């Protein structure tokens, strides 16, 4: 499919800008490992203090990069499968909102006016501009989604007997879930936090802001990952040389994510008072339930890969694994897919620990938690983003991709780094090593009375992993920006590998209609959050506050 000039420009901006910001995100991630390992025993480096860098690392990598990519990948996927570009008003206004919001966020973070961490709920306070910029970024993604829905209905009228392609279903599931989950955080940002930051209100309801954030913050994890799931089902079997084992299984797994992703956010609040134990038990059950579509994906994609290996002549029980296109320069995308899939196995298993009410008490607010989510966001999510950004930019721009050997080995190097980093964080967490803490000032500093020698080995492993990840990212940036600054040699086009289904399966009407799943999703959200908010209002209240930017301690309480 050929691409119009305006659509091409929008897509290229949507790929290049967040990848440029990702440089700063990666830099601050590496710096975090240096602080935690005690290599840096200070509050700030190069004018960026520890929490300022931690905020930039989380916001850029987990919110800005992932949102831009999901939107661009959605544009690309919808245009490829429906053979239509979205309306110009939708993709241009969406990108304008997102770019403006991201620039505002970047400026206030660099100026040190938004050191409120990736979670950004009260009592840490950021500049009002940060809250407004983040709201613009999120609402910009809504506009893009509206454009896709419009052309979907146009396509359906023209193709009344055709069923929704799996890739379109996955994209619509992701953004439907994202829309429902981001309404609460938009309310938090614009109604609660912005007036508070501007001094228009003198009180803030801290439990309320936390609960609203986690209605968004946990579904955000699936917003990161579902583009990769779309790739695993619709592209990976083709790339591996096989076929998708079951299209119906793929559809069911994606729809289960729609109903189970949002209600489980309360499991991030297991350690908080004010929410009844019965609600936490219900959320724990739902959290175990959300592992079902992941297990289904592991089986379906694993069967698809086995079929690909056996097509290449594999025999026996496991020989098919060796017949897959590992390290093939002419098939570089395979490495980004398969490495992310391997990392996500361990990310999912460690996530089950977090979902257990009792085990969560052991690992809560320790290094285990970032160790777990680096296996998810830095695993399938970031690797899919890296691989598909190269792929889409190459096709949209018509520019050649050189250094293919380097591009091919990057995901394997990155995977080694993520494995070490996550192991170090999780091992330290099981020994009580705290998260969100500049350990170099105290616990890993031999000159400090708080020095803890038990955390030195684990933080050192984290450092080694972070340095390897930083090296892989540096190689990636060299390859990507070398392509960006080269001359186009081909016409712009949109093209994706499409996996055929191995079996001709009977259509199941429930898997071809999103409406009942959306209704069920809303009911499940209500089953968790109606009683949760009743508890929040019953046991919590807005409090007067006076904070400085570097300390969440309520200064009014100290003055009394």
């Amino acid at each position: 499919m050929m691409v119009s000039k305006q659509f091409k420009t929008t897509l290229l901006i949507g790929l290049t800008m967040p990848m440029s910001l990702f440089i700063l995100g990666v830099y601050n991630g590496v710096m975090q490992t240096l602080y935690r390992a005690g290599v840096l025993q200070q509050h700030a480096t190069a004018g960026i203090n520890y929490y300022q860098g931690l905020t930039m690392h989380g916001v850029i990598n987990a919110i800005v990069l992932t949102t831009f990519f999901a939107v661009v990948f959605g544009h690309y996927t919808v245009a490829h499968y429906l053979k239509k570009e979205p309306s110009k008003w939708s993709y241009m206004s969406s990108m304008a909102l997102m770019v403006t919001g991201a620039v505002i966020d970047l400026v206030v973070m660099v100026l040190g006016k938004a050191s409120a961490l990736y979670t950004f709920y009260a009592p840490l306070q950021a500049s009002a501009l940060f809250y407004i910029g983040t709201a613009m970024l999120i609402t910009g993604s809504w506009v893009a989604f509206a454009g896709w829905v419009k052309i979907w209905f146009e396509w359906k009228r023209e193709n009344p007997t055709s069923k929704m392609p799996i890739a379109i279903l996955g994209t619509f599931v992701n953004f439907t879930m994202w829309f429902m989950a981001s309404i609460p955080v938009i309310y938090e940002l614009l109604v609660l936090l912005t007036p508070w930051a501007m001094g228009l209100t003198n009180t803030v309801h801290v439990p309320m802001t936390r609960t609203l954030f986690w209605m968004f913050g946990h579904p955000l994890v699936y917003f990161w990952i579902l583009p990769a799931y779309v790739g695993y089902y619709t592209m990976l079997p083709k790339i591996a040389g096989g076929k998708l084992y079951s299209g119906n299984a793929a559809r069911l797994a994606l729809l289960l994510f729609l109903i189970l992703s949002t209600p489980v956010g309360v499991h991030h609040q297991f350690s908080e008072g004010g929410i009844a134990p019965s609600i936490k038990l219900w959320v724990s059950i739902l959290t175990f339930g959300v592992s079902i579509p992941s297990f289904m994906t592991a089986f379906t994609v694993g069967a698809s890969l086995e079929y690909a290996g056996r097509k290449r002549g594999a025999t026996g029980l496991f020989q098919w694994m060796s017949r897959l296109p590992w390290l093939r320069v002419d098939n570089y995308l395979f490495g980004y897919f398969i490495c992310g899939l391997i990392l996500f196995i361990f990310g999912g298993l460690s996530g089950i620990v977090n979902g257990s009410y009792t085990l969560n008490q052991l690992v809560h607010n320790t290094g285990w938690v970032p160790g777990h989510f680096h296996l998810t966001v830095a695993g399938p999510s970031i690797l899919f983003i890296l691989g598909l950004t190269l792929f889409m930019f190459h096709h949209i721009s018509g520019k050649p991709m050189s250094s293919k050997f380097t591009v091919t080995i990057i995901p394997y190097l990155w995977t080694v780094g993520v494995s070490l980093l996550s192991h170090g964080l999780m091992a330290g967490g099981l020994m009580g090593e705290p998260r969100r803490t500049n350990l170099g000032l105290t616990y890993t500093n031999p000159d400090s009375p708080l020095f803890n020698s038990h955390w030195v080995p684990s933080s050192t492993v984290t450092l080694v992993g972070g340095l390897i990840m930083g090296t892989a990212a540096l190689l990636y940036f060299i390859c990507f920006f070398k392509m960006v600054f080269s001359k186009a040699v081909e016409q712009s086009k949109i093209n994706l590998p499409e996996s055929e289904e191995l079996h001709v399966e009977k259509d199941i009407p429930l898997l071809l209609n999103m409406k009942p799943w959306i209704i069920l999703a809303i009911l499940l959200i209500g089953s968790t959050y109606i009683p949760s908010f009743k508890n929040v209002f019953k046991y919590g209240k807005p409090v007067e506050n006076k904070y400085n930017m570097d300390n969440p301690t309520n200064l009014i309480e100290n003055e009394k």
Side-chain angles (χ1 to χ4, degrees):
M1 174 181 168
M2 305 309 292
V3 187
S4 69
K5 183 178 180 180
Q6 294 87 348
F7 194 46
K8 170 185 174 180
T9 301
T10 300
L11 295 181
L12 292 179
I13 291 172
L15 292 172
T16 306
M17 181 189 172
M19 196 53 66
S20 301
L21 297 182
F22 188 45
I23 297 172
L24 188 59
V26 169
Y27 165 77
N28 281 294
V30 174
M31 294 301 291
Q32 294 299 309
T33 66
L34 292 169
Y35 282 114
R36 291 185 67 87
V39 175
L40 297 176
Q41 299 172 355
Q42 57 210 43
H43 180 60
T45 302
I48 300 176
N49 69 50
Y50 177 83
Y51 287 105
Q52 184 183 5
L54 183 56
T55 301
M56 282 191 275
H57 175 64
V59 171
I60 290 172
N61 293 8
I63 299 179
V64 175
L65 176 67
T66 53
T67 304
F68 268 92
F69 178 81
V71 167
V72 173
F73 183 61
H75 283 320
Y76 197 97
T77 301
V78 167
H80 172 77
Y81 279 92
L82 304 186
K83 307 305 178 189
K84 290 184 177 183
E85 291 183 5
S87 302
K88 187 186 298 185
W89 66 265
S90 68
Y91 64 74
M92 293 188 72
S93 57
S94 166
M95 192 56 62
L97 279 168
M98 293 173 65
V99 168
T100 303
V103 169
I104 291 172
D105 280 1
L106 176 65
V107 171
V108 292
M109 286 189 293
V110 169
L111 292 177
K113 302 298 183 181
S115 300
L117 306 184
Y118 141 75
T119 46
F120 63 72
Y121 45 65
L124 288 176
Q125 187 182 78
S127 163
L129 286 173
F130 175 79
Y131 301 132
I132 294 169
T134 304
M136 291 177 69
L137 173 69
I138 293 170
T139 53
S141 69
W142 293 358
V143 176
F145 182 33
W148 305 336
V149 172
K150 178 178 180 294
I151 64 168
W152 156 252
F153 281 114
E154 292 174 358
W155 182 89
K156 190 61 179 174
R157 283 194 296 268
E158 296 166 5
N159 303 271
T161 60
S162 299
K163 58 185 179 182
M164 181 182 283
I166 293 172
I168 301 297
L169 174 65
T171 301
F172 278 27
V173 161
N174 196 24
F175 275 80
T176 302
M177 175 270 295
W178 170 249
F179 177 72
M180 290 190 294
S182 52
I183 291 172
V185 83
I186 292 295
Y187 177 84
E188 178 199 8
L189 286 164
L190 298 183
V191 178
L192 300 182
L193 297 180
T194 298
W196 173 57
M198 294 175 69
L200 301 177
T201 56
N202 296 321
T203 61
V204 64
H205 198 306
V206 174
M208 178 73 163
T209 66
R210 293 174 65 92
T211 305
L212 286 168
F213 177 84
W214 285 119
M215 281 188 77
F216 158 83
H218 191 80
L220 175 60
V221 175
Y222 299 103
F223 184 65
W224 299 338
I225 295 171
L226 277 171
Y229 270 70
V230 171
Y232 293 152
Y233 283 123
T234 65
M235 289 185 266
L236 180 55
K238 174 73 172 180
I239 291 167
K243 295 182 180 181
L244 176 63
Y245 185 74
S246 172
N248 283 342
R251 292 176 186 275
L252 177 58
L254 292 169
L255 289 164
L256 287 173
F257 277 118
L258 175 60
I259 65 172
L260 294 170
S261 297
T262 304
V264 300
V266 170
H267 76 223
H268 290 268
Q269 299 175 270
F270 277 168
S271 65
E272 296 179 25
I275 297 179
S278 58
I279 300 171
K280 295 175 181 178
L281 174 62
W282 170 238
V283 169
S284 188
I285 294 169
L286 289 178
T287 303
F288 294 139
V290 84
S291 66
I292 294 172
S294 293
F295 283 122
M296 290 177 61
T297 300
F299 173 82
T300 305
V301 176
S304 303
L305 293 174
E306 181 176 356
Y307 176 77
R310 295 195 184 283
K311 275 186 67 178
R312 289 189 169 92
T315 58
L317 193 58
F318 297 114
Q319 192 186 50
W320 61 270
M321 295 182 182
S322 65
R323 298 296 177 92
L324 297 175
W326 306 91
L327 291 168
R328 285 266 301 273
V329 174
D330 61 341
N331 197 357
Y332 68 92
L333 273 181
F334 180 78
Y336 292 88
F337 282 74
I338 195 68
C339 289
L341 196 58
I342 292 169
L343 286 171
F344 191 54
I345 292 172
F346 300 99
L349 293 174
S350 58
I352 292 174
V353 172
N354 300 346
S356 166
Y357 180 76
T358 49
L359 290 177
N360 186 275
Q361 304 309 302
L362 174 66
V363 300
H364 184 74
N365 268 342
T366 72
W368 172 280
V369 178
H372 153 70
F373 68 65
H374 275 84
L375 287 169
T376 58
V377 67
S381 178
I382 292 296
L383 281 171
F384 187 75
I385 288 172
L386 296 180
L388 262 291
T389 294
L390 287 171
F391 182 88
M392 291 190 295
F393 193 95
H394 166 63
H395 285 284
I396 297 165
S397 68
K399 295 181 178 181
M401 188 190 311
S402 55
S403 309
K404 283 196 174 181
F405 175 75
T406 305
V407 166
T408 303
I409 65 170
I410 285 170
Y412 301 97
L413 184 62
W414 177 269
T415 299
V416 172
V418 173
S419 300
L420 290 171
L421 177 127
S422 293
H423 174 74
L425 286 168
M426 294 166 76
L430 292 176
M431 295 186 289
E433 182 183 305
R435 63 182 295 202
R436 296 171 169 158
T437 303
N438 185 350
L439 302 182
L441 287 178
T442 51
Y443 301 118
T444 55
N445 182 352
D447 297 328
S448 169
L450 298 175
F451 175 66
N452 187 331
S453 61
H454 299 290
W455 295 343
V456 172
S458 57
S459 60
T460 301
V461 173
T462 301
L463 170 63
V464 173
L467 292 175
I468 294 172
M469 290 173 69
T471 302
L474 177 61
L475 293 174
Y476 181 87
F477 293 136
I478 291 170
C479 295
F480 176 72
F481 286 102
K482 185 178 179 181
M483 179 168 58
V484 169
F485 293 110
S486 63
K487 292 183 178 180
V489 295
E490 300 175 5
Q491 283 190 315
S492 300
K493 61 181 182 293
I494 286 180
N495 180 48
L496 283 172
E498 293 185 41
S499 300
E500 297 178 44
E501 295 184 29
L502 179 59
H503 306 287
V504 178
E505 297 176 308
K506 180 181 178 181
D507 287 343
I508 301 175
L510 188 60
L511 302 182
L512 302 175
N513 183 3
M514 286 182 62
K515 289 180 183 178
W517 298 88
I518 294 172
I519 293 169
L520 183 55
I522 293 170
L523 291 174
L524 284 175
I525 292 169
S527 73
T528 296
Y529 280 103
I530 290 174
S532 294
F533 281 115
K534 283 184 178 179
N535 281 189
V536 166
F537 285 118
K538 182 178 180 180
Y539 299 112
K541 65 177 182 178
V543 295
E544 278 192 287
N545 61 85
K546 182 180 178 184
Y547 300 99
N548 62 42
M549 196 67 73
D550 298 321
N551 195 323
T553 302
N554 192 334
L555 300 180
I556 289 178
E557 292 296 322
N558 289 344
E559 292 169 359
K560 288 180 179 179

